[in-house]
């Protein structure tokens, strides 16, 4: 026992260093958003925070960042809704509707392969297809693409949660006279709500973060936040402080979600990989 | 209410045949218990009646209808599951009213019928609780309540008491029996506890490995087991089996036991079955050594060794006997059962109980 | 696969397992078809499209697409494409280097975290953060951090007397820097999975080991690690798959440069398609990558089946 209390201090110190390594770059970047370009170059430790970078990013005539933010929210919410609804139905179907084993295995193997393919490899084909049906530079195209990209993970996650609902409850409902939609709505859905929340949050975050496909399927009017941030780095004269400010703004959803729904994120991330 | 007729019912999973031609007749209002060792297909048969499993062959009738191709919800049967299967997110009242709600019954009718069922089951004060806030016995009652609100034609129970402790089990046994007497609904009740079957059922169906071994009233099975399996399965403690042969109207065993069997054909090999409670201590009997003595207060159980033959004796009296002592055992000659050792079938119908 | 399918379908129809009426068959299809349709329309179809395009050259004349059949030309060209070769080797180095680092660091942090009681939730919250941040933002953060002039990294190293270095701009350190950034990004993910795994280990085994007089190291090597192998394997596979897809950070930090030193496969693909507009050649490259990925999965799955059969 004494050994354990002895070793507690080094453990705490190591963990604190780890936490610092995670936090310092983030905090330093956010702080850079509040500096002037000169202050950043000088590297003063103490500086007077200014809001002009954020103001510039958000409200200047030449910046589309607010539009990008709105686009990201629209695409994120719509693709998340589409993705989790489709995934929940599929997870239920594959788990409980007695498909032949080969159907289930073939489908799941395909989702795995699909998940491993770099999205960039598909992006051009999607672009071609979107143009063929007139969906290029629309939200619909990007929403469909994001929902599809996240579908494998969402199906695996929801399959785990659906599997955890006891089969007997479903049978009890059948005996009570429930048809498939009743079972889904009144029995399965209420019991997988936490899992559904976890999956939705992760799906939203992944859509928010997605860059490669958004880059290829969007233009000025439909560009999402990551696309906008990437533009900064492409500029000949990089506006470092504004890039920092927009990076800080882009992290807001992540931080919000972490504050209010850490439990669900942990659930989603660990279930998805472990089961 | 309705009768249930099962004719040559078969069920296979792939190449494995789990039920191999089962015939059972349940009369209107009857309480039938399905018993048998684990894995013999009791649950499968019950679930086929319910409609939760397809029927591979044969025919199941509920009332006048063949239900082979009728979905569960149109069969008008209710089922109580082993671990209750209560909807964890619904209150007791919602659990009980769910089937009525699905059937599109108006709210006040649902409330009325739930209240009535709750009254019968003594659940009226618990209607707003969630299942996890209930004790095991209460959950059990809610599961029954969910079945009775619908007023179905048939009740199906799958080992409903096996998750309860011994005392509660006895109490719930009486409650289910009382409920059946009150409602008079046709009931099929699966259990592997033969005491439960004996005490509750009008009729018992003994199954083994996918076939029916015997059907009869509890006392019928006790008094006239059709074969060694049923004889050994029904009754507690289990029946003693002694190998020997029949010669000139007497059963003679290597262990020294010799009893009159009445007019029975001579056979080179036979098995004598005698229940522990049908052995008597009598100086005229055969000597046996006491191996173990178990006193329950009201009864005495002796494990005996009769020249290498193990025997169980059950007496109503408290006996001052110790292990190692010798006792003399005399079987009650009117309570003997004789079986063919090859087939296990009962030999003749004598000398069983008249 | 097709053969196996045909075999299953031609086998005599088994008796229905459950009672199934027309309504149920309908719902079976209704619940599955959206996912099936999405996967068919947005993964199978585009891949078929890529496959077709990989045998063609696409040019534009008067705003009209002109497709000419070129056979296997693009695939032959792949072999002599130094960028593609660099892309593959850099991706492999990147993936294995980064994932190895993440696994080791993540495991160490998770193990340490199990040793403390207070503050575990706080550390976990902090360590989760990088997982949730957009890759492009991580790129931005580290573009600032690694900046030659004002980056915090050079500043910090300056304190201990190391001269400033252009981490992203010099060929020797560019790939290494990108790997470090990826380690920063994804170590938390490994940490999280390992922590979940460690927390779910049966405690009595450790108590038994302690009773047997095992020290901390022995406990780790003989008890913890063997018990954690399933989690380690899964985490490794999961991370490796994602590491092969790396694009965002590279796009922002180095754009594949300097030279080809951080040219990863996703970036090569991107350039072929969108910078150089070589749809046919890019498709051939995509098809090859998809083929390699599928091969990897088949090998992994059959390896798992074999080990599953023996153990
Ligand atoms: N889905 C299935 N697939 C294959 N075999 C099954 C399936 N369900 C049940 N069986 C087999 O059918 C046989 C009968 O099972 P059943 O559940 O009816 O037994 P039981 O009599 O209820 O036993 P217990 O008393 O243990 O509940 C068992 O041997 C079981 O292994
Ligand atoms: Mg059973």
């Amino acid at each position: 026992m004494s050994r354990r209390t002895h070793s507690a201090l080094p453990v705490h110190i190591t963990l604190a260093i780890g936490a610092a390594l995670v936090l310092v770059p983030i905090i330093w970047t956010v702080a850079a958003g509040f500096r002037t370009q000169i202050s950043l170059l000088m590297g003063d430790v103490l500086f007077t925070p200014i809001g002009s970078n954020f103001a510039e990013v958000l409200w200047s005539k030449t910046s589309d960042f607010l539009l990008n933010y709105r686009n990201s929210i629209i695409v994120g919410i719509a693709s998340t809704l589409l993705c989790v609804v489709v995934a929940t139905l599929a997870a239920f179907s594959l788990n409980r509707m007695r498909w032949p084993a080969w159907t289930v295995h073939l489908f799941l193997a395909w989702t795995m392969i699909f998940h491993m393919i770099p999205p960039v490899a598909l992006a051009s084909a999607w672009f071609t297809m979107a143009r063929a049906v007139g969906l290029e530079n629309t939200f619909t195209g990007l929403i469909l693409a994001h929902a599809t990209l996240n579908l494998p993970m969402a199906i695996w996650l929801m399959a785990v949660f659906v599997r955890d609902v006891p089969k007997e409850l479903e049978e009890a409902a059948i005996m009570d006279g429930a048809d498939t939609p009743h079972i889904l709505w009144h029995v399965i859905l209420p019991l997988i709500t936490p899992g559904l929340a976890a999956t939705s949050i992760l799906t939203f975050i992944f859509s928010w973060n997605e860059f490669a496909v958004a880059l290829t399927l969007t233009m000025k009017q439909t560009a999402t936040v990551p696309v906008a941030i990437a533009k900064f780095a492409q500029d000949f004269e990089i506006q470092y402080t504004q890039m920092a400010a927009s990076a800080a703004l882009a992290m807001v959803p992540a931080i919000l979600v972490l504050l209010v729904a850490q439990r669900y994120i942990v659930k989603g991330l660990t279930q998805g990989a472990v089961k | 209410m309705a009768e249930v007729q099962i004719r040559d019912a078969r069920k296979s999973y792939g190449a494995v045949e789990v039920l191999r031609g089962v015939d059972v007749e349940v009369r209107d209002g009857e309480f039938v218990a399905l018993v048998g060792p684990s894995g013999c297909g009791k649950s499968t048969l019950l679930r086929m009646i319910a409609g939760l499993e397809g029927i591979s062959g044969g025919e199941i009738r509920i009332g006048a209808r063949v239900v082979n191709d009728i979905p569960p919800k149109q069969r008008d049967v209710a089922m109580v599951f082993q671990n209750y299967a209560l909807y964890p997110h619904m209150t007791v009242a919602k659990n009980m009213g769910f089937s009525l709600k699905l059937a599109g019954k108006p709210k006040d009718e649902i409330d009325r019928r739930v209240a009535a069922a709750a009254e019968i089951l003594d659940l009226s004060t618990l209607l707003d609780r969630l299942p996890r806030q209930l004790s095991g016995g209460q959950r059990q009652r809610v599961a029954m309540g969910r079945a009775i609100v619908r007023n179905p034609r048939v009740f199906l129970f799958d080992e409903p008491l096996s998750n309860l402790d011994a005392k509660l089990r006895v109490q719930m046994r009486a409650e289910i029996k009382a409920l059946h007497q009150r409602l008079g609904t046709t009931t099929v009740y699966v259990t592997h506890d033969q005491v439960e079957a004996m005490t509750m059922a009008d009729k018992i169906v003994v199954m083994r490995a996918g076939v029916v071994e015997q059907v009869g009233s509890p006392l019928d099975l006790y008094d006239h087991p059709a074969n060694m399996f049923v004889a050994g399965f029904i009754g507690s403690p289990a029946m003693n089996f002694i190998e020997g042969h029949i010669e000139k109207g007497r059963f003679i065993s290597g262990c020294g036991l010799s009893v009159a069997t009445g007019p029975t054909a001579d056979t080179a090999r036979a098995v004598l079955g005698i229940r522990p409670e049908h052995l008597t201590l009598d100086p005229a009997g055969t000597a046996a050594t006491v191996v173990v003595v178990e006193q329950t207060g009201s009864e005495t159980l002796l494990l005996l060794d009769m020249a290498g033959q193990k025997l169980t004796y059950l007496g109503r009296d408290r006996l001052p006997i110790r292990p190692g002592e010798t006792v003399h055992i005399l079987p009650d000659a009117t309570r003997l059962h004789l079986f063919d050792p090859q087939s296990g079938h009962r030999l003749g119908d004598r000398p069983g109980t008249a | 696969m097709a053969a196996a399918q045909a075999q299953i379908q031609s086998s005599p129809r088994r008796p229905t397992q459950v009672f199934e009426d027309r309504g149920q068959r309908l719902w079976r299809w209704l619940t599955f078809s959206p996912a099936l349709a999405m996967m068919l329309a947005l993964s199978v179809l585009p891949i078929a499209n890529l496959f077709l395009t990989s045998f063609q050259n696409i040019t534009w004349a008067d705003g009209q697409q002109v497709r000419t059949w070129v056979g296997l030309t693009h695939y032959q060209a792949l072999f002599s494409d130094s960028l593609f070769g660099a892309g593959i080797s850099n991706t492999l180095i990147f993936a294995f280097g980064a994932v190895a680092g993440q696994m080791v660091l993540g495991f160490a942090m998770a193990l340490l975290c199990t040793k403390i009681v207070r503050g575990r939730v706080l550390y976990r919250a902090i360590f989760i953060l990088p997982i949730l941040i957009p890759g492009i933002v991580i790129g931005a953060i580290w573009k600032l951090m690694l900046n030659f002039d004002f980056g915090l990294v050079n500043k910090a190293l300056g304190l201990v007397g190391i001269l400033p270095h252009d981490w992203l701009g010099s060929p020797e350190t560019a790939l290494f820097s990108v790997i470090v950034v990826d380690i920063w990004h994804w170590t938390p993910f490994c940490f999280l999975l390992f922590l979940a795994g460690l927390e779910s280990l049966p405690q009595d085994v450790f108590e038994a080991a302690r009773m047997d007089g095992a020290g901390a190291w022995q406990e780790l090597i003989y008890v913890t690690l063997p018990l954690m192998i399933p989690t380690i394997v899964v985490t490794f596979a999961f991370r490796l798959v994602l590491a092969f897809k790396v694009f965002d950070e590279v796009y922002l930090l180095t754009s594949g440069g300097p030279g080809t030193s951080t040219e990863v496969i996703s970036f090569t693909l991107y350039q072929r398609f969108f910078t150089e507009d070589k749809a046919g050649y890019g498709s051939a490259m995509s098809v090859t990558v998809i083929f390699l990925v599928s091969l990897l999965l088949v090998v992994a799955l059959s390896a798992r089946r074999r080990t599953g059969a023996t153990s």
Side-chain angles (χ1 to χ4, degrees):
Chain A
M1 215 60 244
S2 63
R3 196 186 68 212
R4 258 148 237 287
T5 42
H6 259 261
S7 57
L9 191 61
V11 167
H12 273 288
I13 290 174
T14 320
L15 283 170
I17 292 175
L21 285 175
V22 168
L23 286 179
V24 165
I26 296 173
I27 294 170
W28 184 77
T29 303
V30 174
F34 287 102
R35 288 170 183 255
T36 61
Q37 196 92 357
I38 295 176
S39 150
L40 182 65
L41 286 170
M42 301 293 289
D44 312 323
V45 177
L46 290 176
F47 63 95
T48 335
I50 53 152
S52 63
N53 294 315
F54 286 92
E56 190 76 15
V57 164
L58 288 173
W59 287 293
S60 111
K61 284 254 160 48
T62 55
S63 164
D64 289 330
F65 203 76
L66 270 184
L67 179 71
N68 303 137
Y69 223 84
R70 190 201 66 157
N71 293 349
S72 271
I73 290 174
I74 291 174
V75 171
I77 289 178
S79 73
T80 298
L81 278 178
L82 178 62
C83 180
V84 294
V85 168
V86 171
T88 306
L89 288 174
F92 172 75
S93 194
L94 293 172
N95 244 305
R96 295 295 164 89
M97 296 303 272
R98 293 168 191 266
W99 287 96
W102 69 263
T103 315
V104 178
H105 289 154
L106 189 66
F107 184 77
L108 290 182
W110 179 253
T111 61
M112 275 178 161
I113 290 180
F114 177 67
H115 187 67
M116 292 168 75
I117 298 173
V120 178
L122 291 169
S124 80
W126 277 339
F127 180 72
T128 314
M129 287 169 63
R131 197 169 45 191
V133 292
L135 287 179
E136 85 271 27
N137 194 22
T138 64
F139 288 133
T140 316
L142 188 58
I143 288 167
L144 281 172
H146 276 188
T148 310
L149 277 180
N150 289 324
L151 194 60
M153 180 204 68
I155 289 179
W156 304 334
L157 276 176
M158 292 318 298
V160 173
F161 297 124
V162 170
R163 203 181 54 198
D164 287 349
V165 176
K167 193 119 209 340
E168 279 196 348
L169 285 185
E170 209 179 300
E171 291 176 343
I174 291 175
M175 296 310 295
D176 275 345
D179 291 325
T180 308
H182 296 131
I183 295 175
L184 250 173
W185 186 255
H186 291 293
V187 180
I188 304 276
L189 211 55
L191 294 176
I192 58 170
T193 313
L196 204 62
T199 309
S200 304
I201 290 170
L202 278 186
T203 308
F204 178 81
I205 290 287
F206 288 162
S207 167
W208 181 273
N209 293 355
E210 203 284 331
F211 169 64
V213 174
L215 179 67
T216 54
L217 289 189
T218 61
M219 291 180 6
K220 199 168 164 26
Q221 280 305 304
T222 51
T224 57
V225 169
V227 178
I229 292 177
K231 283 257 158 36
F232 278 104
Q234 303 290 297
D235 284 345
F236 184 68
E237 190 79 8
I238 297 181
Q239 298 286 320
Y240 283 108
T241 50
Q242 287 186 23
M243 182 163 101
S246 52
L249 290 170
M251 285 189 274
V252 169
I255 291 166
L256 276 183
V257 154
L258 194 63
L259 289 179
V260 302
Q262 194 201 141
R263 197 165 56 89
Y264 292 116
I265 297 169
V266 173
K267 192 185 175 91
L269 286 172
T270 51
Q271 296 264 11
V274 176
K275 303 222 170 161
Chain B
M1 270 157 279
E3 71 252 11
V4 177
Q5 286 177 322
I6 301 165
R7 296 236 173 84
D8 193 33
R10 289 170 185 278
K11 176 74 189 178
S12 16
Y13 290 107
V16 189
E17 203 165 27
V18 178
L19 290 183
R20 300 178 293 162
V22 171
D23 293 274
V24 176
E25 190 119 350
V26 185
R27 285 200 308 276
D28 194 4
E30 203 171 28
F31 193 119
V32 169
L34 293 179
V35 297
S38 189
C40 70
K42 308 179 293 286
S43 299
T44 305
L45 184 59
L46 196 75
R47 292 162 56 82
M48 282 160 72
I49 302 173
L52 293 172
E53 298 279 354
I55 299 167
S56 310
E59 176 179 293
I60 295 181
R61 244 173 224 278
I62 298 175
R65 275 195 306 177
V66 175
V67 294
N68 286 36
D69 291 326
I70 294 180
K73 76 183 246 189
Q74 286 163 29
R75 293 188 188 194
D76 200 8
V77 300
M79 184 154 166
V80 175
F81 292 82
Q82 180 171 354
N83 33 22
Y84 322 131
L86 299 178
Y87 310 117
H89 56 292
M90 297 186 197
T91 62
V92 169
K94 291 259 166 54
N95 260 286
M96 287 169 59
F98 187 53
S99 60
L100 299 176
K101 183 176 154 194
L102 287 173
K105 296 276 187 288
K107 176 112 179 43
D108 53 334
E109 185 189 339
I110 297 177
D111 291 345
R112 204 179 59 242
R113 284 168 69 172
V114 167
E119 187 67 34
I120 295 174
L121 290 162
D122 201 13
L123 288 169
S124 304
T125 55
L126 305 175
L127 284 176
D128 293 326
R129 298 239 194 126
L130 287 173
R132 64 164 180 276
Q133 300 164 321
L134 300 176
S135 72
Q138 289 166 338
R139 285 179 207 178
Q140 179 60 58
R141 282 208 288 270
V142 176
M144 284 181 353
R146 191 166 62 175
I148 68 173
V149 279
R150 276 170 46 195
N151 196 13
R153 298 198 296 171
V154 181
F155 282 145
L156 305 174
F157 290 85
D158 193 353
E159 308 199 17
L161 305 184
S162 57
N163 283 358
L164 302 179
D165 63 48
K167 196 164 169 207
L168 203 51
R169 206 178 301 173
V170 173
Q171 183 195 331
M172 289 307 298
R173 200 158 82 190
E175 279 188 33
I176 293 178
K177 185 72 199 157
L179 192 67
H180 176 251
Q181 265 151 12
R182 172 171 180 167
L183 301 174
T185 308
T186 312
T187 301
V188 182
Y189 186 101
V190 166
T191 174
H192 57 242
D193 178 349
Q194 52 98 16
V195 178
E196 235 169 64
M198 294 291 283
T199 52
M200 298 170 82
D202 300 320
K203 188 157 91 189
I204 297 178
V205 177
V206 184
M207 292 177 63
R208 175 170 62 160
V211 294
V212 172
E213 293 282 340
Q214 191 174 3
V215 181
S217 71
L219 295 182
D220 211 21
L221 297 189
Y222 181 84
D223 292 336
H224 298 277
N227 53 45
M228 284 173 68
F229 175 77
V230 175
F233 193 82
I234 299 290
S236 172
M239 186 184 276
N240 296 299
F241 292 113
I242 305 164
E243 294 206 11
H245 64 276
I246 300 174
E247 200 179 311
K248 295 184 193 118
R250 287 194 82 75
F251 173 88
I252 298 162
S253 155
C255 64
L257 194 75
S258 168
V259 279
T261 60
T264 310
D266 289 4
T267 52
R269 293 185 60 210
V271 172
L272 174 78
I274 179 84
R275 296 193 185 278
E277 55 271 36
H278 298 150
L279 294 174
T280 50
L281 297 179
D282 190 314
T286 316
T289 314
V290 176
V291 182
V292 176
V293 180
E294 285 179 5
Q295 302 276 9
T296 63
S298 61
E299 294 168 335
T300 303
L301 188 82
L302 303 180
L303 295 185
L304 306 169
D305 186 327
M306 183 184 279
Q309 171 75 47
K310 296 261 180 294
L311 282 181
T312 315
Y313 161 91
L314 184 69
R316 291 291 305 164
D317 297 321
R318 214 173 277 195
L319 298 170
I321 294 180
R322 305 233 174 150
E325 287 180 25
T326 299
V327 293
H328 293 267
I329 294 293
L330 191 67
D332 179 346
T334 61
R335 305 278 200 142
L336 303 180
H337 309 267
L338 285 172
F339 301 100
D340 179 303
Q342 238 89 55
S343 65
H345 288 319
R346 186 180 192 87
L347 288 174
D349 201 33
R350 300 207 55 205
T353 322
Chain C
M1 195 56 98
Q5 249 165 262
Q7 195 188 347
I8 289 163
Q9 279 174 331
S10 67
S11 70
R13 206 174 160 290
R14 281 168 301 161
T16 42
Q17 299 282 304
V18 87
F19 187 83
E20 211 171 65
D21 59 14
R22 223 187 298 130
Q24 253 186 311
R25 266 196 296 278
L26 177 71
W27 276 101
R28 195 160 82 137
W29 274 103
L30 281 182
T31 47
F32 186 45
S33 49
L36 190 65
M38 264 172 82
M39 287 315 269
L40 284 179
L42 290 155
S43 74
V44 178
L45 199 63
I47 289 173
N49 183 9
L50 283 178
F51 190 69
L52 204 67
T53 313
S54 71
F55 301 108
Q56 296 173 332
N57 254 344
I58 295 185
T59 47
W60 293 86
D62 308 330
Q64 284 292 308
Q65 217 185 28
V66 183
R67 287 170 179 254
T68 44
W69 203 258
V70 296
L72 289 172
T73 320
H74 293 319
Y75 288 96
Q76 281 158 353
L78 268 183
F79 286 98
S80 48
D81 185 341
S82 61
L83 262 189
F84 185 58
I88 288 197
S89 73
N90 281 336
T91 304
L92 288 175
I93 295 171
F94 169 85
F96 281 98
V99 174
Q102 291 154 14
M103 300 277 293
V104 172
L105 287 176
F107 196 90
M109 292 313 246
L111 201 61
L112 290 178
C113 228
T114 60
K115 303 276 185 244
I116 63 168
V117 184
R118 281 228 223 135
R120 201 190 284 194
V121 177
L122 179 68
Y123 282 125
R124 197 178 63 180
I126 292 171
F127 288 147
I128 288 173
L129 194 51
I131 308 175
L132 304 177
I133 298 176
I136 219 69
V137 170
I138 305 241
I141 290 175
W142 285 93
K143 195 155 181 107
L144 294 165
M145 289 285 291
L146 292 170
N147 186 283
F148 180 79
D149 298 314
F150 58 81
L152 194 59
V153 172
N154 277 342
K155 286 260 158 63
L157 292 175
L159 290 180
V160 292
I162 297 175
L163 288 179
H165 177 79
D166 190 359
W167 297 97
L168 296 169
S170 48
E172 312 83 57
T173 54
L175 186 59
F176 170 76
S177 305
V178 174
I179 288 177
V180 170
V181 171
D182 198 67
I183 290 177
W184 186 86
H185 190 175
W186 289 110
T187 295
F189 181 74
C190 299
F191 161 85
L192 197 63
L193 293 199
F194 289 144
L195 184 62
L198 287 169
E199 280 175 344
S200 66
L201 291 184
Q203 281 310 303
D204 46 357
V205 184
F206 291 95
E207 276 151 27
R210 236 166 274 155
M211 297 300 287
D212 289 342
W217 277 110
Q218 287 161 316
E219 196 179 288
L220 174 66
I221 289 166
Y222 296 113
V223 185
T224 314
L225 278 177
L227 285 174
M228 283 293 287
I229 280 181
T231 313
I232 292 173
V233 170
V234 168
T235 309
F236 183 75
F238 217 83
R239 269 306 308 144
L240 206 61
V241 168
L242 289 183
F244 284 138
K245 302 202 288 191
V246 65
F247 178 74
D248 308 8
E249 293 96 325
V250 172
Y251 181 93
L252 203 105
L253 287 173
T254 62
S255 295
T260 60
S261 55
T262 58
E263 183 82 29
V264 289
I265 197 70
S266 281
F267 200 77
T268 317
L269 284 171
Y270 177 77
Q271 280 181 308
R272 289 292 178 266
F273 275 119
F274 298 103
T275 318
E276 300 167 10
D277 204 13
K278 289 186 191 162
Y281 184 62
S283 298
M285 205 180 265
S286 291
V287 169
T288 310
V289 168
I290 291 169
F291 174 75
L292 292 177
V293 158
S294 315
L295 203 67
L296 202 71
L297 186 79
V298 170
V299 169
L301 282 183
S302 65
R304 200 182 69 173
R305 188 164 308 150
R306 209 166 310 132
T307 52
T310 51
S311 65

